[in-house]
Amino acid sequence: MKTVAITGASRGIGLAVAEAFVDAGWRVLCLGRSDAPARRLRERGDARFVPFDAASNDSVLTAARAVHEAAPTLDALVNNAGIALSASLAKTSLEDFARIQQVNVTAPFLLTQALLPALVAARGRVVNVCSTAAKKGFKYTSAYCASKHALLGLTRALAVELAAKQVTVNAVSPGWTDTDMLAASVDRIASATGRSAAEAKSTLEAMNPLNRAVQPREVAALVLFLCASEAGAAITGADYTIDGGETV
């Protein structure tokens, strides 16, 4: 049985990815702050909870040790955990900026580094969940955009570095996806403009030609393709955009 470790597996895209891998017959190590989703997933397959807080380097390294004990050879790592911040540059504190970089860049760097021996042993695959904010600038998101650009750069550099070890490293960059992050943005827009939540959501959905939010299960299917398919074995250093055409 193949094994995958997924960060931020408690909700949103991470949970959808965990569900996709469990349904595909993989052993899934759910790294997150809540064990409830992993307990529910155990009804469908082999799912295990590993406590993980991307804001703490100690927690990241402790989780890495737990993963290595559970899977001395690791077939796939999905660095999905992330946070966002919407604020003008003038209102973005240094503490906020550092927190965004820690969760979105430092934690994936540190976890991948710590799990590299297990990935090399399995000729494994790494997928970093980036964002359309890794490809273009959005106002009021300087810290978030900087972090996602950095994660994409890390992806490309590691793809070149680890190719000789037969470890692939790719990125998946979703646009607006129907998760808690989208709900929070809808609430901010509604509060700032006086629009209804439905109107605010429609504004965000209209940013792409499909005129709808991406579904977490759609992102999960793409991640599963990169990690599990035969075709994915020859793909590395790629950035797959899944945004309904937003960045076309």
Side-chain angles (χ1 to χ4, degrees), residues 98-187:
R99 179 170 56 92
I100 296 292
Q101 310 313 309
Q102 167 64 39
V103 172
N104 293 358
V105 187
T106 303
F109 163 81
L110 195 57
L111 186 62
T112 306
Q113 183 184 62
L115 293 177
L116 185 57
L119 288 162
V120 170
R123 295 189 172 188
R125 305 182 191 183
V126 179
V127 173
N128 295 323
V129 179
C130 290
S131 164
T132 51
K135 311 168 82 65
K136 58 182 283 189
F138 294 89
K139 62 182 179 181
Y140 307 129
T141 61
S142 57
Y144 182 68
C145 279
S147 72
K148 291 301 185 178
H149 274 70
L151 184 58
L152 182 55
L154 177 66
T155 300
R156 289 168 170 163
L158 291 182
V160 177
E161 178 178 339
L162 301 180
K165 300 180 185 299
Q166 302 301 306
V167 173
T168 66
V169 187
N170 293 291
V172 169
S173 291
W176 287 110
T177 304
D178 200 0
T179 63
D180 291 346
M181 192 177 293
L182 174 63
S185 296
V186 166
D187 288 344

Side-chain angles (χ1 to χ4, degrees), residues 17-143:
V17 172
E19 291 172 338
F21 275 90
V22 163
D23 290 344
W26 286 52
R27 176 172 54 168
V28 179
L29 305 179
C30 300
L31 280 63
R33 289 183 289 182
S34 170
D35 68 342
R39 284 190 278 109
R40 290 195 298 270
L41 282 173
R42 279 199 289 272
E43 299 174 1
R44 294 158 63 169
D46 190 345
R48 308 180 187 187
F49 172 68
V50 177
F52 177 84
D53 181 359
S56 165
N57 288 337
D58 287 342
S59 176
V60 172
L61 292 175
T62 298
R65 288 192 290 270
V67 169
H68 197 269
E69 289 175 5
T73 60
L74 184 64
D75 298 282
L77 169 64
V78 181
N79 288 305
N80 163 77
I83 55 174
L85 173 69
S86 178
S88 66
L89 179 63
K91 294 183 178 179
T92 302
S93 68
L94 182 58
E95 291 76 16
D96 284 336
F97 185 86
R99 179 170 56 92
I100 296 292
Q101 310 313 309
Q102 167 64 39
V103 172
N104 293 358
V105 187
T106 303
F109 163 81
L110 195 57
L111 186 62
T112 306
Q113 183 184 62
L115 293 177
L116 185 57
L119 288 162
V120 170
R123 295 189 172 188
R125 305 182 191 183
V126 179
V127 173
N128 295 323
V129 179
C130 290
S131 164
T132 51
K135 311 168 82 65
K136 58 182 283 189
F138 294 89
K139 62 182 179 181
Y140 307 129
T141 61
S142 57

